[in-house]
Amino acid sequence: PAPPADWVEWLEHGRFWLGARLRYEDVDQDGISKRANALTLRTLLGYESARWHGWSGTLEFEDVTALFDDSYNSTTNGNTQYLTVADPEGAEINQAFLDHTDAERWNVRLGRQRINFDNQRFIGAVAWRQNEQTFDALKLSALNIVGVEATYVYVDNVNTVFGENSVQGDLPSNTHLIHLSRSVGPLGTLVAYGYLLDSDRVPTKSTDTFGARLSGKHAPEQHLGFQWAAELATQQDAGDNPNDVDELYYVGEIGAILRGFVLQVGQEQLGGSGGPGEAFQTPLATLHSFNGWADKFLTTPDDGLNDSYISLETTLAKVKCQIVWHSFHADQGSDHYGDEFDAAVSYPLRKELVVGMKYADYDADDFATDTRKFWVWLTLLV
């Protein structure tokens, strides 16, 4: 295609977007009197240029603002007497990258970007938090090598959810991510991966993880359908990690689908030997999506974690509903950590405007203390 005549024409052929999420979060935990009440507004403003000879550019700004009273510990506001809601205030460049693609063969992307692999159990953008997790990275994808989609990513820095004003905001790294995916017909999609994390600043996050995942779905409209997932991975310490990590991860899920209802049962295990720091960890995951929405297991306990769960979800008159129950046990030993009940509903007021509510209730036994969290939010994306 011919190059644009001027910058005005270039901008006119690009795409702008505006996103906003107003959210209230309440956290109440036994043993701590100062419950958290956080009302925050996250705003996104982004632009993607038109593509020319396969090239395009994307720039996205993000701002998080606390409204009214900030009676919560954001991790940067100094209000440590309150419970934590990890949504610190701040403005930053959320994404800034150049992209070059041949739609049928390969893609290269360089710069600050979101990266989500599979269900985000190991690598994800943590979109639940007001400040997303993004990666300063080089991403190379071969789109079809004898039916395999292959992706390699070199990560120079992880921009965490804690933001640029926090000492935890940046995680410099020398990390390599390898992800291979192939359709295996009616069995679904088979994935193999190797995630080699290396951080000099936080050496306990340095691990080598290798695994495979099979997931699929068969859902006829008028009859009983099924969905399934199975995954197995191994993790060892790497780099300057002072801990002796040699643990297994597995998950198995089976779901039944009928008339818009999905009933799913599953079990996930992250191994732990009982030694300090010697459990299977997933520090770059979208952790809120796993092991209960109360976020009691963002770091796997030293004795490991076994999570048995059952969920039911459906959409009724445009209202999306989900309930989940978890039972948590130690991998090493016989401790019953606790149980958790989660529930969520959301409703599209318009195509671009969604309101939602969510609740999490963790009932502690041998780990942490009883915790209740409640959220209500309004999301706009145009």
Side-chain angles (χ1 to χ4, degrees):
D6 52 37
W7 286 106
V8 174
E9 183 177 336
W10 181 265
L11 291 173
E12 287 177 346
H13 285 81
R15 179 177 70 94
F16 286 94
W17 63 89
L18 172 67
R21 181 168 61 194
L22 177 67
R23 184 164 72 197
Y24 170 75
E25 179 169 345
D26 172 83
V27 184
D28 183 19
Q29 181 176 318
D30 285 7
I32 300 179
S33 60
K34 291 287 189 179
R35 67 190 299 169
N37 291 276
L39 180 62
T40 56
L41 175 65
R42 176 205 185 200
T43 307
L44 286 177
L45 178 62
Y47 173 75
E48 179 184 17
S49 75
R51 196 170 291 276
W52 180 59
H53 293 301
W55 288 95
S56 70
T58 293
L59 180 63
E60 183 180 63
F61 296 96
E62 177 185 69
D63 177 80
V64 179
T65 300
L67 303 178
F68 307 114
D69 182 25
D70 57 347
S71 55
Y72 68 101
N73 177 13
S74 75
T75 71
T76 63
N77 62 4
N79 293 341
T80 55
Q81 71 272 29
Y82 292 98
L83 287 163
T84 298
V85 175
D87 289 330
E89 291 189 281
E92 63 184 35
I93 296 175
N94 197 47
Q95 295 194 98
F97 60 81
L98 290 174
D99 184 276
H100 191 278
T101 187
D102 178 327
E104 297 181 356
R105 294 184 296 174
W106 56 271
N107 172 265
V108 58
R109 180 171 293 181
L110 176 63
R112 181 168 297 183
Q113 56 192 281
R114 294 185 187 95
I115 299 176
N116 293 314
F117 282 149
D118 304 319
N119 63 346
Q120 304 181 43
R121 188 60 181 100
F122 290 91
I123 308 296
V126 199
W128 171 250
R129 295 263 54 103
Q130 296 288 59
N131 179 31
E132 282 189 299
Q133 175 171 275
T134 57
F135 301 82
D136 297 339
L138 170 65
K139 181 182 179 185
L140 306 172
S141 297
L143 304 179
N144 189 355
I145 304 176
V146 293
V148 176
E149 182 174 325
T151 300
Y152 165 78
V153 184
Y154 174 76
V155 180
D156 177 69
N157 185 67
V158 182
N159 308 285
T160 75
V161 300
F162 299 103
E164 294 185 344
N165 296 325
S166 170
V167 294
Q168 305 177 70
D170 289 304
L171 182 65
S173 73
N174 182 29
T175 290
H176 304 268
L177 311 175
I178 302 167
H179 184 273
L180 308 174
S181 175
R182 179 186 174 91
S183 172
V184 286
L187 292 178
T189 301
L190 179 63
V191 169
Y193 53 82
Y195 302 139
L196 285 66
L197 281 56
D198 190 357
S199 172
D200 290 336
R201 176 177 292 180
V202 189
T204 55
K205 297 184 184 294
S206 298
T207 56
D208 292 342
T209 303
F210 298 93
R213 175 181 176 87
L214 176 68
S215 60
K217 182 177 182 179
H218 175 66
E221 291 186 5
Q222 302 300 325
H223 302 285
L224 180 65
F226 296 95
Q227 62 185 30
W228 57 89
E231 187 168 358
L232 178 67
T234 180
Q235 184 176 92
Q236 289 82 34
D237 56 279
D240 295 325
N241 193 331
N243 300 319
D244 183 14
V245 181
D246 187 6
E247 299 297 340
L248 288 175
Y249 167 90
Y250 74 78
V251 66
E253 296 177 343
I254 183 70
I257 307 167
L258 181 62
R259 301 183 185 276
F261 287 83
V262 180
L263 177 66
Q264 180 169 272
V265 295
Q267 185 172 64
E268 181 185 51
Q269 179 171 300
L270 297 94
S273 67
E278 295 178 1
F280 197 109
Q281 305 291 346
T282 60
L284 301 186
T286 297
L287 290 166
H288 179 76
S289 298
F290 303 90
N291 309 136
W293 299 335
D295 290 337
K296 306 307 291 186
F297 299 98
L298 299 180
T299 299
T300 308
D302 292 336
D303 286 332
L305 174 64
N306 191 309
D307 178 7
S308 301
Y309 51 92
I310 182 169
S311 68
L312 177 66
E313 59 182 281
T314 190
T315 300
L316 302 171
K318 295 186 179 181
V319 179
K320 185 177 181 180
C321 311
Q322 184 181 15
I323 57 173
V324 190
W325 179 83
H326 296 265
S327 181
F328 303 108
H329 292 79
D331 172 45
Q332 183 79 15
S334 58
D335 283 354
H336 174 239
Y337 291 149
D339 300 318
E340 182 169 327
F341 172 77
D342 298 328
V345 295
S346 63
Y347 176 74
L349 299 172
R350 298 179 60 178
K351 180 180 179 181
E352 67 279 3
L353 190 64
V354 177
V355 63
M357 291 188 297
K358 187 155 74 168
Y359 177 72
D361 188 344
Y362 175 73
D363 183 12
D365 192 354
D366 295 322
F367 183 84
T369 57
D370 294 354
T371 301
R372 293 153 297 279
K373 295 187 178 185
F374 172 75
W375 302 265
V376 59
W377 68 86
L378 183 67
T379 300
L380 171 71
L381 181 60
V382 292

